Amino acid sequence: MAAKIYYNDDADLTVLSEKTVAVIGYGSQGHAHALNLRDSGVDVVVGLSENSSSRAKAEAQGLRVENVADAAAEGDIIMILTPDQVQAEVFTKDIAPHLEEGNALFFAHGFNIRFGYIEAPQGVDVAMVAPKGPGHTVRREFEAGRGVPALVAVEVDASGQAKDIALAYAKGLGATRAGVIETTFTEETESDLFGEQAVLCGGASQLIQYGFETLTEAGYQPEIAYFEVLHELKLIVDLMIEGGIAKQRWSISDTAEYGDYVSGPRVITPEVKENMKAVLADIQDGTFAKRFIEDQAAGGPEFKKLREKGESHPIEATGRELRKLFSWNSDQIDEDYTDGSVAR
């Protein structure tokens, strides 16, 4: 069945005209949601802890900032954009006590609803608006008069207007300019986690590391290995985004295309697909969510150990040196992520 896609004419921003949106968090997504909604004429308040380093930034950008509890009390729509592992605590402590019948609880990822870490009280809408792009892209595209596609889902329609509110919110972000696809919390959460783990993050990272190891262990220079298995990956992915795998194959050399057909299946074997199914099963039955949340509750010992192991891989040291050679890819990028200002 073809997906239902909504555009500007399918959403009415006036649905939000008498409502206040409380955006909880001001990270990658939070700043984009708050600024885009504000610039779309929506009344926005940002909820942040008293000691949040983002408070000054949000205020400097002309936004009204309150502590989380006060913002939640003021908001008719409360969009939770804090990290997955802290959402339940923030909800229980600062949001739930202030929810009233007729309020709407919004998310940009369904993790905590899907796995039962957050349960909204009766009479409260539960919906999702999930832009399919990082926050800086959501903001940049909005300012350019374009938009980033998004997903919308309604888990609880207590008001009878949850979908209309979600579509209006998506329009305020600029998402309906590009297209908004209807989904469910379960579908979004499970497919998102699977995509991250099996292909986009886990799969790609492991494939790159194994490729680098194979070449360097065979005696090839690390710098050459880096270019061949990591640097050029962006060129290939960009072609896929522009026109699918078919355009990527059309654009590369005949030698590369032939190698794609005959060697790709030797590396990514049917056993890999079976492993992917096992990953999906762990997501579907809650095994992954339980492991992640329990580790985070303990201070993240496994998470920190795995991060340290990944950052110590030889490809990282090679990449840091090579990236300095490119004027368009300065070492400022490395500084940004290591001090935690981009992704964390």
Side-chain angles (χ1 to χ4, degrees):
M1 183 174 64
K4 175 63 177 175
I5 304 179
Y6 299 92
Y7 297 97
N8 274 338
D9 290 344
D10 300 310
D12 181 6
L13 255 179
T14 64
V15 170
L16 305 181
S17 61
E18 301 298 323
K19 298 182 183 295
T20 296
V21 175
V23 175
I24 310 302
Y26 203 72
S28 175
Q29 287 293 329
H31 89 280
H33 285 235
L35 292 171
N36 288 11
L37 289 168
R38 189 272 311 274
D39 291 349
S40 293
V42 178
D43 181 31
V44 175
V45 59
V46 176
L48 294 171
S49 63
E50 294 289 351
N51 60 353
S52 172
S53 60
S54 298
R55 181 176 285 268
K57 179 181 177 183
E59 290 175 338
Q61 292 177 310
L63 290 161
R64 195 158 51 87
V65 181
E66 304 284 353
N67 63 46
V68 175
D70 289 341
E74 187 175 343
D76 301 293
I77 301 165
I78 299 96
M79 168 59 91
I80 305 180
L81 294 172
T82 57
D84 289 334
Q85 64 268 33
V86 302
Q87 283 188 12
E89 180 181 358
V90 171
F91 174 79
T92 300
K93 179 184 176 216
D94 292 322
I95 297 175
H98 304 286
L99 285 176
E100 300 176 351
E101 186 172 339
N103 285 166
L105 192 62
F106 272 38
F107 299 84
H109 177 42
F111 185 97
N112 278 276
I113 294 295
R114 164 63 183 85
F115 296 112
Y117 293 106
I118 290 177
E119 293 186 12
Q122 290 187 346
V124 172
D125 290 339
V126 179
M128 174 169 49
V129 180
K132 299 310 292 179
H136 68 269
T137 305
V138 174
R139 180 59 179 163
R140 184 182 66 228
E141 290 297 288
F142 178 90
E143 292 182 303
R146 300 185 295 266
V148 170
L151 306 180
V152 295
V154 173
E155 184 76 3
V156 178
D157 186 12
S159 69
Q161 293 184 303
K163 185 174 176 179
D164 291 337
I165 296 170
L167 288 173
Y169 188 106
K171 187 171 186 175
L173 293 184
T176 51
R177 299 171 182 173
V180 174
I181 301 175
E182 190 169 9
T183 184
T184 65
F185 270 69
T186 294
E187 182 177 55
E188 184 276 336
T189 303
E190 294 177 0
S191 62
D192 184 75
L193 292 175
F194 174 80
E196 291 168 351
Q197 295 173 33
V199 181
L200 305 177
C201 303
S205 297
Q206 196 65 58
L207 190 67
I208 290 167
Q209 289 178 342
Y210 280 161
F212 182 86
E213 292 168 11
T214 299
L215 286 175
T216 55
E217 288 168 6
Y220 299 95
Q221 298 178 75
E223 294 81 4
I224 299 301
Y226 177 89
F227 277 119
E228 298 303 335
V229 303
L230 190 154
H231 177 78
E232 294 188 22
L233 183 64
K234 183 180 185 304
L235 308 178
I236 298 300
V237 172
D238 284 348
L239 289 169
M240 290 182 179
I241 291 172
E242 290 172 12
I245 295 173
K247 179 173 182 178
Q248 176 264 135
R249 286 170 168 163
W250 175 83
S251 302
I252 59 179
S253 70
D254 288 348
T255 312
E257 183 180 0
Y258 182 72
D260 176 339
Y261 297 137
V262 301
S263 298
R266 294 179 64 190
V267 176
I268 308 300
T269 64
E271 288 75 19
V272 172
K273 185 175 179 181
E274 292 305 310
N275 291 337
M276 286 183 168
K277 290 179 179 180
V279 168
L280 181 58
D282 282 351
I283 291 168
Q284 291 171 327
D285 68 14
T287 298
F288 169 78
K290 183 174 184 291
R291 178 178 176 179
F292 172 65
I293 293 298
E294 288 182 351
D295 182 64
Q296 290 293 307
E302 182 184 33
F303 181 71
K304 291 173 183 176
K305 183 178 180 180
L306 292 170
R307 174 185 282 169
E308 182 180 0
K309 179 182 178 182
E311 291 177 349
S312 66
H313 192 280
I315 198 172
E316 300 301 334
T318 300
R320 278 192 293 272
E321 293 305 310
L322 284 178
R323 288 190 291 273
K324 294 176 183 178
L325 304 179
F326 299 103
S327 61
W328 45 263
N329 193 29
S330 72
D331 58 358
Q332 180 62 42
I333 291 176
D334 286 329
E335 292 173 6
D336 283 346
Y337 91 77
T338 53
D339 73 9
S341 60
V342 174
R344 299 170 192 164

